[in-house]
Amino acid sequence: MDSTAHITRLSAMLDGPHDGPLLRFGLANAYLQAGQPAEAVKHYRDCLQRDSLFSAAWKQLGKALLADGRPEEALGAYRQGHQVATDKGDIQAAREMAVFIRRLEKAGEANATPE
């Protein structure tokens, strides 16, 4: 199934009986795969509004924000997601986000102008 058809199918389910964090997460992933990170960000945030403890959504939100050219917001999402994953014992997700945090912090240091 192509991205457009997948997005159309999932979008048709919004606000219906099957709407929830998993649907929003799936729709966000479809938008990200389709090269529409701004739309993906919107749906990852909708997902997290419904389930703020969804570690994978935090990780993907950071990825979508990066793809949309918003590294500072991505860093914030990864930091919050790292805390959520750590608190709930989701070790793999916490480790992955820790790596992304370090990379973004290092890139930020490299781009900082000396005072």
Side-chain angles (χ1 to χ4, degrees):
M1 177 182 303
D2 71 13
S3 295
T4 304
H6 194 59
I7 289 168
T8 301
R9 188 174 63 80
L10 292 174
S11 294
M13 297 170 67
L14 294 177
D15 299 321
H18 299 292
D19 195 355
L22 287 175
L23 175 63
R24 301 292 173 142
F25 183 76
L27 183 56
N29 285 337
Y31 274 114
L32 191 57
Q33 289 175 344
Q36 298 180 51
E39 278 298 310
V41 165
K42 176 185 160 195
H43 291 287
Y44 286 126
R45 286 190 171 143
D46 285 346
C47 170
L48 289 164
Q49 196 169 32
R50 289 166 167 74
D51 181 0
S52 63
L53 303 179
F54 197 153
S55 302
W58 284 110
K59 184 175 80 168
Q60 290 298 100
L61 174 59
K63 183 177 179 179
L65 286 163
L66 273 178
D68 200 37
R70 296 151 62 181
E72 288 300 318
E73 289 180 67
L75 182 57
Y78 285 137
R79 285 179 176 153
Q80 195 164 353
H82 180 267
Q83 187 62 55
V84 165
T86 299
D87 289 349
K88 65 184 252 191
D90 191 349
I91 296 166
Q92 183 61 33
R95 285 181 182 158
E96 290 174 17
M97 285 186 270
V99 168
F100 300 144
I101 290 166
R102 281 193 300 275
R103 287 180 187 162
L104 283 171
E105 288 174 342
K106 186 177 273 192
E109 291 169 9
N111 293 330
T113 56
E115 295 184 27

